[in-house]
Amino acid sequence: MAQAGLKTIIALSFVLAIGFLLVILSSALYQNYLPLLVVATYVIAPLPNWICARCSNPDDFMDSGNSGAVVDFGRFLTGFLVVMGIALPALLAHCDLIRMSAMAMSIIGGLLIYGTIISFTMFFQEEQDF
């Protein structure tokens, strides 16, 4: 993977700030704070991948044969949380709890937040030598 420089950090931080701004504005402009639930789903979304990757790759020299199932389960949970982050504002808008413009801002902001989290992990992932 390419070396992450200062420009990469600045660009990703800028995109993350725009994502949080959109989600916060989707709540604050319409005096309804339900779209802030999207932030929780996108912050929690990478955790199953990280936890299951750690559980499937122990630091000892023994090879466990079931490590693929654990990684797949982590990816499934991450995918569920990402879809929930998109579907939750749509569900709230369908039930007329939030406005359609708040839904659009919340979904776009949430996708920017999750995309930034994934980009940070891709750029700053340590490569193992062995």
Side-chain angles (χ1 to χ4, degrees), residues 48-60 62-75 128:
N49 256 350
W50 180 71
I51 291 171
C52 291
R54 291 286 181 197
C55 290
S56 71
N57 189 12
D59 289 336
D60 59 357
M62 294 175 51
D63 184 29
S64 61
N66 295 334
S67 63
V70 174
V71 172
D72 287 342
F73 181 67
R75 289 180 182 158
Q128 297 182 4

Side-chain angles (χ1 to χ4, degrees), residues 25-46:
L25 282 178
S26 71
S27 299
L29 287 178
Y30 302 105
Q31 288 85 28
N32 191 350
Y33 294 97
L34 287 174
L36 285 178
L37 295 173
V38 174
V39 175
T41 61
Y42 282 108
V43 169
I44 293 172

Side-chain angles (χ1 to χ4, degrees), residues 55-129:
C55 290
S56 71
N57 189 12
D59 289 336
D60 59 357
F61 293 107
M62 294 175 51
D63 184 29
S64 61
N66 295 334
S67 63
V70 174
V71 172
D72 287 342
F73 181 67
R75 289 180 182 158
F76 172 76
L77 287 178
T78 299
F80 173 76
L81 289 170
V82 170
V83 170
M84 189 173 82
I86 296 170
L88 185 63
L91 177 72
L92 292 173
H94 177 74
C95 294
D96 290 330
L97 294 174
I98 63 173
R99 294 186 184 177
M100 293 298 267
S101 55
M103 177 198 72
M105 289 170 60
S106 181
I107 289 174
I108 293 169
L111 289 175
L112 287 175
I113 291 169
Y114 186 68
T116 305
I117 292 170
I118 292 299
S119 299
F120 267 119
T121 57
M122 281 181 22
F123 281 118
F124 298 108
Q125 187 176 19
E126 295 180 10
E127 295 181 15
Q128 297 182 4
D129 293 332

